[in-house]
Amino acid sequence: MPELPEVETIRRVLEPQLKGKLIRQVRLSRPEIISAPTAEEFCRRAEGERICSLGRRGKFLQIELHSGAEIVLHLRMSGCLLLAPKEYPLAKHTHAIFELEEGEELRFSDVRRFGRLWLLAPGQEDCTGRQKLGLEPFDPQLTPEYLQQIWGKKKRPIKDCMLDQQAVAGIGNIYSDEILFRAGIRPDCLGCNLEEEQRQRLAQMIPQTLAYFIEKNAISPQEYLDGGGRDYRNTPFLQVYGHSAQPCPRCGSLLERKVIAGRSSVFCPACQNFLGGS
Ligand SMILES: [Zn+2]
């Protein structure tokens, strides 16, 4: 499932290629992927627009258009955005095709079909859910004090707190495990039991870890296309996620897996020894 680093990778790969391009036509094979306005209206308004830039907020991608309108996308579980020449083989489950100039197409595919698109007119009230997002992980306001304010009273495990998009936007199951490993905190430590030192480490490790994985995911446009937009090059650099029952890369102890708030967490019982509240 794409989290912030993967969405940021898509943004970085596609933005230089999409900038200034005209959307000639939009074709939808599954109109239900359009959340707002109606599918018909979506196509009508997008056609004839020129793409200004590609932005990101949390795990949302934002295609900013010349009129000031924007197309907002959430990839959810398995959404994928590709820019391809029109003769390039069409991926299965391609639900939307934006025909651009010079025989190129921007294609949205999604096996699980949870991904959604919106088109917002300039100044229109946001109905995407973006307005409820918490701070961006790279926001300088993400300080130990902010973490105290949002998590200081939470009687929920820190793993669960980190997945809450209204606190910090963009972190999912993979990177919460990686961040907690680097910070030496057990995923089942309650938010209210964090101490100043742990909050400081988290405030540092959240942006540092995500920046590291964005960097490791760097890919050229051709490689991105050849990999169908799913070639996540940072996977070999994951230290704990997906490594349950394997030795900890730092101390050699066996990594453990525990289900917390319905999500699987992998952690090192030796390195991640902070549980607090004793
Ligand atoms: Zn360890």
Side-chain angles (χ1 to χ4, degrees):
M1 175 172 177
E3 297 182 25
L4 187 149
E6 290 74 33
V7 177
E8 179 61 21
T9 300
I10 298 170
R11 193 194 72 74
R12 290 185 185 190
V13 170
L14 294 185
E15 188 185 40
Q17 305 177 79
L18 287 177
K19 235 177 173 164
K21 295 273 163 74
L22 177 77
I23 301 174
R24 285 190 187 284
Q25 205 192 358
V26 185
R27 298 200 310 270
L28 299 173
S29 56
R30 283 202 169 268
E32 63 268 32
I33 62 164
I34 307 296
S35 277
T38 62
E40 234 171 56
E41 187 72 9
F42 180 96
C43 298
R44 196 185 61 76
R45 286 204 222 155
E47 288 169 5
E49 280 273 12
R50 227 170 246 288
I51 299 171
C52 266
S53 59
L54 210 55
R56 182 193 56 72
R57 174 81 171 96
K59 302 181 207 169
F60 288 86
L61 264 176
Q62 309 165 161
I63 303 174
E64 282 124 24
L65 305 170
H66 261 261
S67 69
E70 58 174 345
I71 296 171
V72 182
L73 270 111
H74 200 300
L75 304 172
R76 299 268 157 78
M77 303 293 285
S78 57
C80 184
L81 202 58
L82 273 190
L83 180 69
K86 67 172 183 246
E87 59 277 8
Y88 197 82
L90 202 62
K92 266 190 192 170
H93 310 288
T94 297
H95 307 316
I97 299 175
F98 296 80
E99 280 183 30
L100 307 175
E101 298 166 281
E102 294 157 20
E104 282 187 311
E105 293 178 346
L106 181 67
R107 300 171 178 174
F108 175 73
S109 65
D110 190 357
V111 180
R112 305 278 299 270
R113 291 194 229 140
F114 292 118
R116 287 294 174 270
L117 286 87
W118 296 259
L119 194 150
L120 299 180
Q124 185 189 333
E125 198 184 330
D126 200 342
C127 56
T128 62
R130 251 183 335 178
Q131 68 282 12
K132 294 185 198 137
L133 292 178
L135 286 183
E136 277 293 307
F138 305 110
D139 192 320
Q141 291 179 53
L142 181 65
T143 58
E145 295 71 41
Y146 175 74
L147 297 182
Q148 159 68 10
Q149 189 195 316
I150 54 165
W151 292 337
K153 289 186 181 139
K154 291 271 191 274
K155 291 194 167 70
R156 285 156 52 199
I158 184 63
K159 166 84 182 184
D160 192 22
C161 294
M162 289 179 78
L163 297 177
D164 177 4
Q165 302 298 300
Q166 298 189 28
V168 182
I171 302 171
N173 210 24
I174 302 172
Y175 298 106
S176 53
D177 276 5
E178 295 296 316
I179 290 164
L180 290 170
F181 175 69
R182 283 163 174 75
I185 303 168
R186 278 180 63 110
D188 48 359
C189 168
L190 299 184
C192 60
N193 285 344
L194 291 177
E195 290 170 13
E196 180 56 21
E197 192 189 329
Q198 280 70 39
R199 286 192 293 270
Q200 274 178 11
R201 270 198 233 161
L202 281 176
Q204 192 183 4
M205 284 307 157
I206 290 171
Q208 225 176 69
T209 307
L210 295 172
Y212 171 82
F213 282 101
I214 290 170
E215 192 196 307
K216 292 294 177 202
N217 221 13
I219 190 165
S220 74
Q222 189 59 46
E223 291 166 333
Y224 179 79
L225 179 61
D226 293 343
R230 294 173 196 288
D231 186 5
Y232 297 147
R233 309 200 147 199
N234 54 16
T235 312
F237 299 94
L238 296 171
Q239 294 193 288
V240 288
Y241 180 84
H243 292 280
S244 165
Q246 293 173 26
C248 166
R250 197 179 291 154
C251 76
S253 308
L254 284 191
L255 298 176
E256 285 179 18
R257 178 181 172 274
K258 186 173 177 180
V259 175
I260 297 164
R263 307 295 295 271
S264 161
S265 273
V266 180
F267 64 100
C268 172
C271 295
Q272 287 168 261
N273 55 13
F274 185 85
L275 189 56
S278 50

